[in-house]
């Protein structure tokens, strides 16, 4: 599986997005990015998740975003 999965959540002032892609070594990675919509504050993290754990990682992120008041766009 080599397709990219991109999802984004937002509040009034903040955003959070996930991108699942294949890295140069052929491994699946979960890239998370977050920050303020109206500022330069933010960050990112890249985590190797493996093909078997992609859905689990996305479900975990989605649940956490919803608990924190984000809506998917």
């Amino acid at each position: 599986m080599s397709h990219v999965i991109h999802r984004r959540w937002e509040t009034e002032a903040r955003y959070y997005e996930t991108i699942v892609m294949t890295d140069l070594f052929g491994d699946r990675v979960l890239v998370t990015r977050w920050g303020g919509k109206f500022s330069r504050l933010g960050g990112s993290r890249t985590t190797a998740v493996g093909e078997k754990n992609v859905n689990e990682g996305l479900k975990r992120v989605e649940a956490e975003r919803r608990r924190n008041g984000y809506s998917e766009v």
Side-chain angles (χ1 to χ4, degrees), residues 16-52:
Y16 193 95
E17 61 186 358
T18 59
I19 304 167
V20 177
M21 65 178 97
T22 305
D23 69 6
L24 293 174
F25 302 106
D27 297 325
R28 296 295 275 175
V29 295
L30 175 64
V31 178
T32 53
R33 298 179 184 156
W34 60 88
K37 289 181 178 179
F38 310 108
S39 73
R40 294 182 182 199
L41 297 176
S44 67
R45 177 184 311 138
T46 302
T47 307
V49 292
E51 191 63 46
K52 295 178 183 177

